[in-house]
Amino acid sequence: MASPIAMAAASFLISCLVVVVVLASGASAQLSSTFYDTSCPNALSTIRTAAVAQEPRMGASLLRLHFHDCFVQGCDASVLLNDTNGGEQNALPNAGSLRGFGVVDSIKAQLEALCPQTVSCADILTVAARDSVVALGGPSWTVPLGRRDSTNSSATMANSDLPPPQFNLSQLIPAFQNKNLDTTDLVALSGAHTIGQARCTTFRDHITEPNINATFAASLRANCPATGGDKPTTTWRRWTPRRPTPSTTPTSATWCPRGGLLHSDQELFNNGSTDSIVRNFASNAAAFTSAFATAMIKMGNLQPLTGAQGQIRTNCWRVNSS
Ligand code: HEM
Ligand SMILES: *[C@@H]1O[C@H](CO)[C@@H](O)[C@H](O)[C@H]1NC(C)=O
Ligand SMILES: *[C@@H]1O[C@H](CO)[C@@H](O)[C@H](O)[C@H]1NC(C)=O
Ligand SMILES: *[C@@H]1O[C@H](CO)[C@@H](O)[C@H](O)[C@H]1NC(C)=O
Ligand SMILES: *[C@@H]1O[C@H](CO)[C@@H](O)[C@H](O)[C@H]1NC(C)=O
Ligand SMILES: *[C@@H]1O[C@H](CO)[C@@H](O)[C@H](O)[C@H]1NC(C)=O
């Protein structure tokens, strides 16, 4: 006999499934993982080879580039346009901080030689992000394809839609909700901060806060003192899958108590509503990797340009001349 609790759980599951289906079809009706199968069959292998043949940090930089693309006007390669006149690259979270443009340029050049005007820069970023995560030992997933490239880019929009590291939990949650990403997605995607580097300026204030592990804070202050003398970058502390010996599994070290490098990271595990998600991911690597892949697909499906919208740029850094 089914107990009331079991039935409630079953109907909860069913309503969840319905929501997922509606969101997925609405967000990416025209994207398809087989999009280039006939028009450019070697597109994906070309991207993978060129994206992961770099220094280990490049994988992190390419992943961040995709995030900063998708959160601003959707995944449309707007972040790659290097117009100095109010483009996204001039925005606070981007200027002097984003990396990987040269790698994308080189992938694009190879693809233009292989199949001209076919593979979008937005799809290059999406596939390169996935391949980077895989190369650094993280999970894999199937990437829906067929995004097209924007013809504009807005620093104002980047400044308003990309969350800064000073954000607290009650600011991070709506910043992600605005992009159809829930708290599970927020916590899972923040797991990206176990790879790559951050500049002192992004965490200098944070490492004087009382909710930080004192030993950890002291080690960070060695390279990032209160004033002056700071080295430009510091390696993320957590989950550091690095070649040649990738250790991929996010363990409890991923979100150590009081061990978040950025204020925004620590907010996810600071006696708030996301603590339980962090605990689950910290103790269950499979739950984390599965949530990370799911959230990456959701993020990658944000507001794509499809059909006749936008264009396929021939150079990722500029709009096609007509
Ligand atoms: C939750 C809100 C987030 C905030 C406030 C945030 C903030 C930051 C900051 C301040 C840095 C250091 C930048 C620098 O010093 O130049 C950084 C780096 C990075 N972020 Fe985030 N981020 C967030 C979410 C994400 C997401 C969703 C992803 C990808 C899924 C991501 C991937 C990365 C990566 C991989 C790096 C290292 C990049 C490199 O080494 O070149 N971040 N982030
Ligand atoms: C834009 O990027 C291209 C290729 O990476 C570079 O040649 C060009 O100088 C850049 N222009 C500006 C204004 O940064
Ligand atoms: C950018 O282009 C899109 C169409 O591709 C348009 O909807 C949007 O308003 C444009 N944004 C700006 C700031 O011009
Ligand atoms: C988060 O920051 C905002 C803006 O500074 C502030 O209004 C709010 O009270 C903060 N929330 C918490 C829970 O600290
Ligand atoms: C604090 O950080 C140090 C060094 O990073 C680590 O060895 C120690 O286990 C941490 N303590 C706690 C309570 O997490
Ligand atoms: C969380 O709350 C507990 C109990 O009130 C307290 O001991 C602990 O220091 C708090 N942790 C943080 C990070 O604020």
Side-chain angles (χ1 to χ4, degrees):
M1 180 168 52
S3 74
I5 292 173
M7 285 170 62
S11 72
F12 173 73
L13 279 177
I14 288 164
S15 58
C16 281
L17 283 176
V18 170
V19 170
V20 167
V21 168
V22 169
L23 271 180
S25 60
S28 61
Q30 298 169 74
L31 299 182
S32 150
S33 61
T34 59
F35 193 81
Y36 297 114
D37 279 9
T38 47
S39 61
C40 194
N42 291 326
L44 269 66
S45 58
T46 304
I47 298 173
R48 183 179 62 243
T49 307
V52 306
Q54 309 295 324
E55 98 263 26
R57 187 183 171 194
M58 188 51 69
S61 304
L62 290 170
L63 175 58
R64 184 166 187 244
L65 210 43
H66 175 55
F67 159 52
H68 281 217
D69 180 30
C70 294
F71 260 55
V72 185
Q73 191 174 282
C75 311
D76 60 357
S78 52
V79 73
L80 299 178
L81 291 175
N82 66 356
D83 60 293
T84 47
N85 187 18
E88 284 170 35
Q89 291 184 12
N90 306 301
L92 276 175
N94 293 338
S97 157
L98 283 181
R99 311 168 73 240
F101 300 114
V103 174
V104 175
D105 284 346
S106 136
I107 294 172
K108 181 62 179 177
Q110 292 180 46
L111 288 174
E112 284 304 302
L114 205 60
C115 11
Q117 295 243 351
T118 304
V119 184
S120 69
C121 300
D123 278 345
I124 292 175
L125 284 181
T126 315
V127 173
R130 189 270 315 270
D131 293 344
S132 295
V133 170
V134 172
L136 292 168
S140 189
W141 56 93
T142 301
V143 176
L145 297 165
R147 296 163 195 77
R148 290 167 64 85
D149 301 324
S150 72
T151 52
N152 60 24
S153 162
S154 160
T156 311
M157 219 183 265
N159 280 324
S160 68
D161 288 11
L162 289 167
Q166 295 79 17
F167 263 19
N168 60 32
L169 186 59
S170 36
Q171 295 169 302
L172 288 168
I173 290 174
F176 276 66
Q177 239 156 25
N178 286 343
K179 305 293 171 187
N180 283 326
L181 297 167
D182 61 24
T183 50
T184 303
D185 302 321
L186 163 64
V187 175
L189 289 172
S190 296
H193 285 170
T194 51
I195 55 174
Q197 297 182 338
R199 292 163 304 160
C200 172
T201 178
T202 64
F203 59 85
R204 175 183 277 124
D205 294 341
H206 173 58
I207 56 179
T208 63
E209 291 178 303
N211 62 343
I212 311 301
N213 173 328
T215 317
F216 172 49
S219 73
L220 290 171
R221 279 198 297 271
N223 281 341
C224 182
T227 53
D230 50 302
K231 296 192 181 152
T233 56
T234 293
T235 306
W236 294 108
R237 176 176 187 242
R238 302 163 303 161
W239 180 41
T240 46
R242 294 192 188 288
R243 291 179 298 176
T245 50
S247 120
T248 62
T249 325
T251 62
S252 53
T254 302
W255 281 277
C256 285
R258 302 167 173 252
L261 178 54
L262 300 181
H263 176 79
S264 53
D265 294 326
Q266 194 61 56
E267 281 288 310
L268 303 175
F269 196 50
N270 202 31
N271 280 354
S273 62
T274 48
D275 277 25
S276 55
I277 304 172
V278 171
R279 281 210 178 81
N280 179 35
F281 289 167
S283 65
N284 184 345
F288 169 73
T289 51
S290 150
F292 185 79
T294 300
M296 283 297 292
I297 294 170
K298 278 169 83 172
M299 185 172 84
N301 287 352
L302 281 171
Q303 298 166 264
L305 299 173
T306 54
Q309 297 170 316
Q311 59 179 220
I312 305 296
R313 286 184 217 142
T314 42
N315 287 291
C316 290
W317 50 275
R318 67 159 185 231
V319 172
N320 296 340
S321 48
S322 43

